[in-house]
Each structure stands twice: as C-alpha cells, then as structure tokens.
Amino acid sequence: DAKTTQPTSMDCAEGRAANLPCNHSTISGNEYVYWYRQIHSQGPQYIIHGLKNNETNEMASLIITEDRKSSTLILPHATLRDTAVYYCIVRVLYAGGTSYGKLTFGQGTILTVHP
Amino acid sequence: SAVISQKPSRDICQRGTSLTIQCQVDSQVTMMFWYRQQPGQSLTLIATANQGSEATYESGFVIDKFPISRPNLTFSTLTVSNMSPEDSSIYLCSVVSRGQTYEQYFGPGTRLTVT
C-alpha cells in the first residue's frame, strides 16, 4: 500500500472547523483513502473513506484533490471529544482474489481541541 | 456496525506464561484480524484469522508465538505464548462485516503487561 504523510500534531479551538491534511503522492488508481481516529485507550474508530469524489457523513467531510495526491479531513465543529490521533490510510479494497486489502497504520496526527 | 467485545480487557502476566485473548462479534463477519499496539506506537497487523484454516501471518510474526483460532464466523482467539516484557502491548481484534465491505471495525483492545 502507498504511504501517507501527516503532520505530527495540530491544535484546534472548540467549535471551529478542524482541517487535517494528508499527502499520498504515490497512491494508485485502485486505492481508497481512509480515515480513522483513536481516542486515548480505545480501539480505532472508522470515520470516512473515499476513492476520488468528496465524501460527507455525520462525522466528517473528506476532500480529495483532483490528482488524488492529497486529501483533507474536515471536522466541521470540533469538540473536546474530538481530541484523538487521526490516521490517514490508503489501501486497496481487494488484493487479489478474496484477499482483503490491509489497513496499514502510520503515526497519524495528534489533534488537540482546546476550549 | 458490528459490536466487538474482547476478553480480558486487561491482564498482568509473568514472563514465560501464555495468555489467550478472545474476540466475540455480535454478527457474522467475513474477515477477522489481530493487531498489536506497542506503548506509544501505532498499530501493527499481526495476522488475518481464517475460518477453518491456519491464520495468515505478517512478516515478523509466527504461529508458534501467536497461535490464532477462528472456529466460526463470530469468534476468534489470539494466544501470546511464552511471554516476555517486550510483549507488553494492546492487542486489538478487527473485523469486516458482511454487507459492509468498505468498513473495518476495531474492538476495545486487551491491555497486556508482562512482568
């Protein structure tokens, strides 16, 4: 799977939008962009994924550039409970036959939301 | 989304002993995985648990150290054998649900400390 580059840490004020960038310049045409987060002492939580179109769900929006070499996760109104490590991951869905594409975690971005 | 439970949630074990971690899902799943998260680190995939056959291990992980069982579509176990302090980690079960191929979910994790 292609590697991703994320800032080590970011701060955001409560109530403001949090924009988390991710570079994935070597992404392949069949690789999806996934975002997970891990709140302290919990298992990772799925946030959103996309292939080439922008996506939105109840948690966040995902903006993928036209060349697909980078993306941004947007938390529209950050709260203190959004403080977590955010992981941007690229992966194929199926890696040959029925073999499922692996989720490979990098170091992620530590997002701190402050009052 | 699938609800995943793990037992035990945490344990303190002596070196040289073994611990078996259980993962139970509330619905049938197509894929089950085991991850390790060492202190202060990101997640690393240990293996894919295959129903009715031997697990598929990632580089650096072997069956003698981390035997895995998956007797049915909702249950799996991971054993950490002959433990040493370096095995102190959080061990996480992860699943892909039927009908939700794009999303992979994680359990709460088992925090293991080896003394």
Side-chain angles (χ1 to χ4, degrees), chain A residues 9-112:
Chain A
S9 63
M10 294 182 64
D11 288 338
C12 179
E14 189 177 20
R16 305 295 294 271
N19 297 279
L20 290 89
C22 179
N23 286 320
H24 30 79
S25 58
T26 60
I27 191 170
S28 300
N30 62 345
E31 288 182 312
Y32 288 75
V33 180
Y34 276 75
W35 284 84
Y36 280 78
R37 73 180 182 185
Q38 188 173 26
I39 297 170
H40 184 62
S41 297
Q42 298 182 22
Q45 177 187 21
Y46 165 84
I47 301 174
I48 200 167
H49 75 275
L51 183 61
K52 52 185 177 181
N53 297 323
N54 297 338
E55 303 287 346
T56 296
N57 62 20
E58 64 278 4
M59 287 184 67
S61 295
L62 173 61
I63 308 299
I64 303 174
T65 58
E66 192 168 341
D67 63 6
R68 302 210 325 124
K69 293 184 176 182
S70 65
S71 61
T72 301
L73 178 75
I74 302 173
L75 308 178
H77 304 287
T79 71
L80 299 179
R81 289 174 294 181
D82 291 322
T83 293
V85 180
Y86 287 77
Y87 296 100
C88 171
I89 303 167
V90 294
R91 55 104 69 108
V92 296
L93 202 55
Y94 289 101
T98 58
S99 178
Y100 199 71
K102 301 172 191 175
L103 272 180
T104 302
F105 287 79
Q107 293 306 307
T109 296
I110 301 171
L111 175 68
T112 303

Side-chain angles (χ1 to χ4, degrees), chain B residues 28-104:
Chain B
Q28 292 185 348
V29 299
T30 55
M31 307 287 292
M32 296 184 81
F33 307 91
W34 287 98
Y35 284 78
R36 179 177 74 180
Q37 188 169 28
Q38 294 176 299
Q41 301 298 313
S42 187
L43 284 79
T44 301
L45 179 62
I46 297 172
T48 302
N50 300 311
Q51 187 200 358
S53 65
E54 193 171 287
T56 304
Y57 290 85
E58 297 300 305
S59 176
F61 297 96
V62 295
I63 187 172
D64 290 346
K65 177 67 176 177
F66 297 102
I68 289 170
S69 77
R70 187 184 171 190
N72 57 50
L73 293 175
T74 63
F75 185 79
S76 178
T77 66
L78 167 74
T79 299
V80 186
S81 302
N82 188 24
M83 289 184 284
S84 67
E86 292 71 34
D87 294 319
S88 297
S89 297
I90 300 173
Y91 292 87
L92 298 113
C93 174
S94 180
V95 306
V96 176
S97 292
R98 284 190 170 182
Q100 294 183 305
T101 309
Y102 290 90
E103 300 172 19
Q104 185 171 334

